Amino acid sequence: MHIPCNMMKFIMLSLIFVSLISLSQAQILEGLKDAVLNAEGVFSDIFKSLDSVSKHLKFTKEFWKDTVDEDCKYMCPDGSRPKKNKYHTPRSNGCGVPGMEIDLTALSLHDMTKCCDQHDICYGTCNNDKDECDLAFKKCLYKFCDNSKGKLPEDFVTGCKTAAKALYSGTTLLGCKFYRSAQQEACYCHSRKIPGDEF
């Protein structure tokens, strides 16, 4: 059987064209797949960032709400008094709040850290009153400064009292959120179940 030359050219061109289209479709599909994967990565990063921003905004909202709340108490959602979480041990992070610790060694006031530790332990003990914790903190700080009189230069004592006022003011103005968070860890409510909670 003899195939005319024109027909042979047509068949060859058709095969080449189909091969090119198949190759092009494969490349297009591969390119689309890469674009989708890249877009997924970019959108994933955007959503992670939005989630982070959302968490920071929620924290800020709760922080300011707690800051303006005159009566900083920790109660169970149903209004009952929380019970001590026997699995919790109060702990301290030194002076300052998580993420904003204050290094008093630079000011030669490192002994004040003992007052900060006691204050953190007080906040982290179930059903302790915030105002009582803050007052005990203030007394500890001022006692430290008063005990330095006559032993250390007067400018040290003045700096000590300035630091004491700043630390105490920070807890009275901004401490409610941290107090409630510490109480939430230290206590449990009947509605808040803890695995194996035979308290």
Side-chain angles (χ1 to χ4, degrees):
M1 172 180 196
H2 183 294
I3 300 174
C5 191
N6 285 342
M7 180 65 92
M8 189 64 116
K9 286 181 185 178
F10 177 74
I11 293 172
M12 291 297 285
L13 285 174
S14 296
L15 288 172
I16 292 171
F17 182 71
V18 169
S19 296
L20 287 175
I21 289 174
S22 297
L23 182 62
S24 295
Q25 286 177 340
Q27 288 174 335
I28 289 170
L29 290 175
E30 189 66 31
L32 284 173
K33 181 180 125 188
D34 289 344
V36 168
L37 290 174
N38 286 335
E40 182 182 11
V42 168
F43 285 123
S44 175
D45 291 344
I46 289 171
F47 288 131
K48 284 178 188 173
S49 296
L50 288 174
D51 184 51
S52 175
V53 167
S54 174
K55 286 178 183 173
H56 285 355
L57 288 174
K58 182 181 178 190
F59 174 82
T60 302
K61 177 185 168 193
E62 291 172 359
F63 178 79
W64 286 115
K65 180 186 172 288
D66 288 341
T67 299
V68 297
D69 193 355
E70 298 261 338
D71 192 26
C72 185
K73 304 281 184 213
Y74 179 74
M75 296 297 293
C76 293
D78 64 2
S80 65
R81 184 174 168 92
K83 307 277 189 247
K84 182 179 189 283
N85 176 353
K86 71 178 182 181
Y87 299 106
H88 175 74
T89 302
R91 60 188 181 279
S92 171
N93 67 347
C95 295
V97 295
M100 284 187 359
E101 290 82 12
I102 300 169
D103 183 11
L104 294 174
T105 55
L107 301 172
S108 299
L109 300 173
H110 55 277
D111 285 340
M112 277 186 163
T113 303
K114 293 174 187 172
C115 299
C116 297
D117 291 340
Q118 291 170 6
H119 186 250
D120 289 348
I121 301 292
C122 189
Y123 271 19
T125 302
C126 186
N127 291 318
N128 274 357
D129 183 79
K130 179 189 181 302
D131 292 335
E132 290 176 12
C133 292
D134 291 346
L135 186 60
F137 181 52
K138 178 183 179 181
K139 288 179 179 179
C140 181
L141 293 170
Y142 278 74
K143 182 178 178 184
F144 170 75
C145 294
D146 289 340
N147 287 344
S148 299
K149 286 181 182 174
K151 300 175 190 170
L152 297 167
E154 189 60 35
D155 58 340
F156 174 85
V157 176
T158 302
C160 181
K161 287 194 175 186
T162 302
K165 285 180 184 177
L167 289 169
Y168 174 69
S169 296
T171 61
T172 57
L173 294 173
L174 307 173
C176 189
K177 169 82 176 140
F178 303 104
Y179 167 78
R180 286 184 177 155
S181 293
Q183 287 293 294
Q184 188 174 10
E185 288 181 24
C187 305
Y188 85 98
C189 297
H190 291 290
S191 59
R192 183 177 147 222
K193 298 292 182 194
I194 298 174
D197 68 344
E198 294 78 34
F199 290 94

